[in-house]
Amino acid sequence: KLNGSIQIPSVFNGTDILTVRYKVSNADCYASIYESNLLIINFVSASQINSINTFMTNSTNPVEITDLTNTPLVGVYLVLFNSVILLNKNSRTCTIGFYKNNILVSNTNRTIGPLSNTKTSLDLINTIAFSGSEVLSLKINVVNSDVTASIYDRKIILIPLM
């Protein structure tokens, strides 16, 4: 079972073709790809923020995930977030999204409900414009206060597009 993302750093010469294949040889097995994206980017001036500290919350109001704030220069950025998330109870969900100056960036929030006590990969990808003075942050909240969300090994990558 593969649950998460695959990242393959490669060098392309401009005429190469990238082919992604998967094969299931056992008749009793099946494979599905959901919400898949193929993203190939040539970036030189990307910036990255990493944190290995575990962040935990049981707040039903959005709270800032520590160690991930940044004030990008003026421009439009491809913003990529990756982490591992764990909820400690079944049938519970949490919501996570990008914020600029503590205001939710439209269409960036996502509600997820991973299996209880199962670490699950979480990826968010959005394009966001910045004025040069706005602070980027990521916030999370749980829907029910009887559950704790834990975020591990988190990373934000900012890639300038314009």
Side-chain angles (χ1 to χ4, degrees):
K1 177 180 177 183
L2 174 64
N3 187 3
S5 61
I6 300 172
Q7 298 176 357
I8 307 167
S10 299
V11 176
F12 295 94
N13 69 17
T15 59
D16 293 333
I17 297 173
L18 174 65
T19 304
V20 179
R21 291 189 221 177
Y22 65 94
K23 179 179 173 183
V24 178
S25 59
N26 185 334
D28 294 332
C29 295
Y30 67 92
S32 300
I33 298 176
Y34 298 98
E35 298 180 19
S36 62
N37 295 300
L38 175 61
L39 183 61
I40 299 174
I41 303 170
N42 179 14
F43 57 91
V44 175
S45 57
S47 62
Q48 181 171 308
I49 306 165
N50 297 306
S51 179
I52 59 171
N53 300 322
T54 302
F55 176 84
M56 299 170 73
T57 185
N58 65 349
S59 175
T60 56
N61 296 313
V63 293
E64 186 176 291
I65 299 174
T66 56
D67 303 331
L68 290 182
T69 59
N70 192 340
T71 306
L73 298 174
V74 65
V76 177
Y77 291 80
L78 179 63
V79 183
L80 305 117
F81 170 73
N82 175 266
S83 72
V84 174
I85 187 167
L86 180 140
L87 298 182
N88 67 341
K89 287 195 176 181
N90 278 330
S91 303
R92 298 294 191 261
T93 59
C94 64
T95 301
I96 191 166
F98 291 113
Y99 286 72
K100 285 193 314 187
N101 290 344
N102 291 315
I103 298 171
L104 178 66
V105 177
S106 64
N107 301 314
T108 67
N109 60 327
R110 183 171 168 194
T111 300
I112 60 169
L115 296 174
S116 172
N117 291 314
T118 302
K119 288 184 177 180
T120 303
S121 179
L122 171 63
D123 298 295
L124 296 177
I125 302 171
N126 288 95
T127 54
I128 303 174
F130 292 93
S131 67
S133 61
E134 298 161 314
V135 177
L136 170 69
S137 62
L138 199 72
K139 293 188 180 189
I140 185 172
N141 64 283
V142 294
V143 175
N144 302 87
S145 62
D146 65 338
V147 65
T148 299
S150 300
I151 306 281
Y152 305 91
D153 302 327
R154 52 200 181 273
K155 175 188 303 184
I156 288 183
I157 300 174
L158 295 134
I159 302 169
L161 299 177
M162 294 186 222

